[in-house]
Amino acid sequence: MGPHPAVAAIRLAVRRVLHDILNDHTSRAPAGRHPGRTAERPPSPLVLVACSGGADSMALASALAFEAPKLGIRAGGVTIDHGLQPGSDLRADEVVLRLRELGLDPVESVAVTVGREGGPEAAARDARYAALDATAARHGATAVLLGHTRDDQAETVLLGLARGSGIRSLSGMAAVSGADGRYRRPFLHLDRQTARKACLVQSLPVWDDPHNTDPAYTRSRLRHEGLPALEKALGKGVVEALARTAQLSRDDADALDTWASQAETSVRDATGLLECAKLYALPPAVRRRILRRAAIEAGAPAGALFARHIEEVDRLITGWRGQGAINLPGRVVARRQGGRLVIRQG
């Protein structure tokens, strides 16, 4: 008899990702040094799973431990100790032990210091990804697997919708992201219940982070109050529909980004300045992408540059009434001079 459907689902999701990683790794392998000799076999790629000890990431770790050896891929794990709760170091040690019991190697716990910038959730996320980047580099890992599910994707889309910051924020999390496609999210098409069921039938102990039920956190309120209310009003298909919206939005945003990249060279004069008349002729979605990119290139921090900033700069082109310079984050200033848009640090 085959594995439980939930276990089969998580293993299939991981197997697909590992095949992609293996293909990418093989295609980048150097050719053999000697004529007529077969190319040297590259060393087996190392894939790490980022594991909090929760159901999603424990299910992911179990699937990686099962599938990786069959493909000749080395599988390891890392857990991040955010230090936000008493005993978090002991919890991290327990997760390390569980990962080793699954057969993962290398496995380590990394303690981080969470700052305050951008709010507690954003600060914890920034610290976590910085630690994952450093760990992957230290071990020479080809990829890091993350346990985000379709439910997480739906929450991310709703948070983006609430911010009102455009189609890119509605595109949620990418299946592949980070430098060289380091981060992979195999479970984006699986629901949270499937991961939890897979842990249950495999008798995997899981830890439920109290932050996930703490109403002080926006995502927690959305998970336990917002989404259930939406499902009650609109039906059970809301999560799936939101995840589908994320993919459609991502496709559209990618297409517009490509269009903006191609259009950018045609709207600059011989000195490299943006020409307002040519910008005006572009569709707003394309023009604003060019403006955002120009502001970031001038030194505006991407994370602090909001839609309202770009709208103000856009009015220098579409609603020109002789207005003064626009101050942007990072001490960047945008002004219109002689039919040209000048964006630079003031």
Side-chain angles (χ1 to χ4, degrees):
M1 195 171 79
H4 186 279
V7 176
I10 64 169
R11 288 177 178 175
L12 177 60
V14 168
R15 193 181 317 143
R16 286 172 172 161
V17 168
L18 293 183
H19 273 296
D20 288 344
I21 290 168
L22 204 55
N23 292 338
D24 291 348
H25 185 76
T26 304
S27 68
R28 287 198 292 264
R33 296 180 182 176
H34 302 286
R37 186 179 294 181
T38 305
E40 295 173 11
R41 186 177 179 84
S44 300
L46 171 65
V47 175
L48 299 176
V49 59
C51 186
S52 66
D56 302 340
S57 57
M58 279 303 296
L60 183 58
S62 72
L64 177 63
F66 182 83
E67 294 291 342
K70 299 198 293 185
L71 296 170
I73 290 176
R74 292 178 296 137
V78 56
T79 187
I80 307 299
D81 173 13
H82 296 86
L84 296 176
Q85 299 156 341
S88 63
D89 54 338
L90 299 177
R91 174 65 56 190
D93 289 342
E94 284 181 32
V95 174
V96 167
L97 188 61
R98 290 175 190 171
L99 295 180
R100 287 187 177 140
E101 287 171 348
L102 287 171
L104 299 183
D105 180 49
V107 174
E108 69 173 284
S109 166
V110 180
V112 298
T113 301
V114 177
R116 297 176 179 272
E117 193 172 342
E121 291 164 282
R125 185 177 61 247
D126 290 346
R128 181 165 59 252
Y129 278 101
L132 290 174
D133 279 336
T135 304
R138 187 166 61 252
H139 289 287
T142 302
V144 178
L145 304 189
L146 304 173
H148 297 118
T149 64
R150 188 169 66 190
D151 300 77
D152 295 306
Q153 185 74 299
E155 292 160 11
T156 302
V157 172
L158 284 174
L159 289 169
L161 185 64
R163 284 195 299 268
S165 50
I167 196 170
R168 179 58 75 185
S169 71
L170 298 186
S171 62
M173 295 173 284
V176 179
S177 64
D180 297 322
R182 169 177 290 159
Y183 294 107
R184 311 287 179 114
R185 298 176 175 87
F187 288 177
L188 280 186
H189 298 294
L190 297 178
D191 60 30
R192 191 174 286 142
Q193 199 56 42
T194 298
R196 188 167 286 277
K197 185 69 174 176
C199 290
L200 183 66
V201 299
Q202 295 180 103
S203 300
L204 290 174
V206 298
W207 172 64
D208 290 313
D209 186 345
H211 281 169
N212 290 338
T213 55
D214 187 342
Y217 293 92
T218 307
R219 188 178 284 268
S220 174
R221 293 196 302 275
L222 183 59
R223 180 173 302 177
H224 297 285
E225 299 170 28
L227 265 173
L230 278 176
E231 287 186 333
K232 185 177 179 182
L234 303 175
K236 285 288 184 183
V238 168
V239 167
E240 188 175 354
L242 286 167
R244 192 163 58 248
T245 295
Q247 186 56 57
L248 293 171
S249 299
R250 182 168 296 280
D251 291 344
D252 289 352
D254 288 346
L256 288 167
D257 284 349
T258 300
W259 187 354
S261 295
Q262 294 167 345
E264 189 169 356
T265 54
S266 67
V267 297
R268 291 187 182 274
D269 65 14
T271 66
L273 292 177
L274 293 164
E275 297 188 57
C276 294
K278 291 181 178 178
L279 283 168
Y280 185 85
L282 291 173
V286 176
R287 180 174 63 244
R288 287 172 184 164
R289 277 168 165 75
I290 293 173
L291 297 180
R292 177 178 172 79
R293 192 172 304 166
I296 291 169
E297 287 173 357
L305 200 57
F306 301 131
R308 59 183 172 81
H309 294 129
I310 302 307
E311 287 167 7
E312 285 185 49
V313 177
D314 197 39
R315 278 195 287 273
L316 294 176
I317 297 158
T318 61
W320 177 239
R321 299 289 184 273
Q323 58 264 48
I326 306 296
N327 293 314
L328 300 173
R331 302 195 312 280
V332 171
V333 177
R335 58 171 58 85
R336 179 166 172 152
Q337 292 179 340
R340 304 291 188 270
L341 189 67
V342 181
I343 304 177
R344 60 168 64 108
Q345 283 194 321

